[in-house]
């Protein structure tokens, strides 16, 4: 029961964001997962820095910012100014990842790298030692409420082996289609942090759902 739960506010009620963040503050959620999309890297646009800044004013949990944007290195200081704890960029969107990860650390944030479903975890062999977290996308990024891609489980296991063989403490986060059915096998495969959007916010009692995911 050491895993963390990071509800994704992409599925929150944007007309009542304050209420939903307060709910997360009172819940057993560990982090607040914030999905920033640019309509270029992914076929959807979500919200940006002005919204993150407002969330920060209310949030009592660390902000886990997942950037689904091209050239995320352009916005490192901006993300820091929004109060992010973790800044996660896509492997596929940042060709000079070593430099990007260093710059995120220099700005005073934890650095995460995200892999799309088709990108093998083995591509991280030469950056793994430099990142605080790897985010495995278990759906194609861009939308909440999609079906979990089963093959993600083997990616989590392989990454867990890589981390353990090298004696690293890198966290593994999984994002997309996480619910009470898929979460257990992800934890068994070695996931440390589970993102859940639809499963939490469409539940009749979101706080209870967070507790149930946490108790697995
Ligand atoms: C998808 C986002 C996810 C999304 C997950 O591109 O990165 O964080 O909110 O939503 P669910 O849990 O509904 O699949
Ligand atoms: Zn996400």
């Amino acid at each position: 029961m050491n895993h963390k739960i990071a509800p994704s506010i992409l599925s929150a009620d944007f007309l009542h964001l304050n209420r939903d963040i307060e709910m997360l503050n009172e819940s057993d959620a560990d982090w607040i997962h914030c999905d920033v999309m640019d309509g270029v890297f992914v076929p959807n646009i979500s919200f940006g820095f002005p919204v993150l800044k407002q969330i920060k004013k209310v949030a009592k949990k660390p902000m886990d910012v997942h950037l689904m944007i091209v050239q995320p290195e352009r916005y490192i200081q901006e993300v820091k100014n929004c109060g992010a704890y973790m800044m996660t960029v896509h492997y596929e969107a940042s060709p000079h990842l070593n430099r990007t990860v260093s710059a995120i650390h220099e700005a005073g944030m934890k650095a995460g790298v995200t892999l799309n479903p088709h990108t093998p975890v083995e591509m991280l062999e030469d950056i793994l030692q430099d990142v605080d977290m790897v985010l495995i996308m278990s759906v194609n990024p861009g939308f909440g409420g999609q079906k979990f891609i089963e093959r993600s489980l083997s990616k989590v296991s392989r990454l867990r082996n890589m981390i353990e063989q090298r004696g690293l403490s890198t966290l593994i986060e999984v994002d997309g289609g996480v619910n009470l059915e898929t979460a257990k096998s992800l934890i068994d495969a070695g996931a440390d942090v589970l993102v859940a959007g639809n499963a939490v916010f469409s539940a009749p009692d979101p706080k209870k759902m967070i507790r149930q995911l946490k108790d697995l």
Side-chain angles (χ1 to χ4, degrees), residues 119-136:
T119 306
V121 292
E122 289 73 17
M123 300 305 280
L124 298 179
E125 183 67 35
D126 294 297
I127 190 93
L128 199 54
Q129 66 286 345
D130 300 321
V131 300
D132 301 292
M133 187 175 81
V134 175
L135 169 50
I136 305 275

Side-chain angles (χ1 to χ4, degrees), residues 58-103:
V58 197
K60 294 199 173 85
K61 317 243 168 162
M63 284 165 66
D64 173 32
V65 179
H66 174 197
L67 294 172
M68 284 160 274
I69 66 172
V70 296
Q71 299 173 345
E73 58 278 359
R74 292 173 295 165
Y75 296 109
I76 292 171
Q77 198 51 53
E78 194 72 43
V79 173
K80 173 65 182 171
N81 294 345
C82 292
Y85 166 73
M86 174 79 71
M87 172 169 170
T88 302
V89 301
H90 269 259
Y91 171 87
E92 302 83 2
S94 189
H96 304 289
L97 204 48
N98 183 287
R99 183 187 293 149
T100 304
V101 165
S102 299

Side-chain angles (χ1 to χ4, degrees), residues 33 35 66 68 175 195:
H33 186 82
D35 290 300
H66 174 197
M68 284 160 274
D175 185 5
V195 176

Side-chain angles (χ1 to χ4, degrees), residues 133-211:
M133 187 175 81
V134 175
L135 169 50
I136 305 275
M137 286 309 303
S138 42
V139 297
N140 285 293
F143 304 93
Q146 301 183 82
K147 189 177 179 303
F148 181 78
I149 297 172
E150 287 292 330
R151 200 177 159 76
S152 317
L153 282 170
S154 110
K155 291 177 73 173
V156 173
S157 307
R158 275 151 51 216
L159 182 58
R160 171 54 59 204
N161 284 339
M162 286 166 70
I163 290 169
E164 280 180 8
Q165 274 173 13
R166 293 175 58 183
L168 300 172
S169 53
T170 326
L171 294 173
I172 303 177
E173 183 176 53
V174 184
D175 185 5
V178 173
N179 54 37
L180 285 176
E181 287 73 54
T182 55
K184 182 75 179 87
S185 35
L186 285 167
I187 294 162
D188 291 345
D192 301 293
V193 188
L194 300 178
V195 176
N198 194 53
V200 166
F201 286 98
S202 68
D205 183 345
K207 277 195 255 185
K208 185 175 169 200
M209 176 56 66
I210 293 167
R211 184 71 247 162

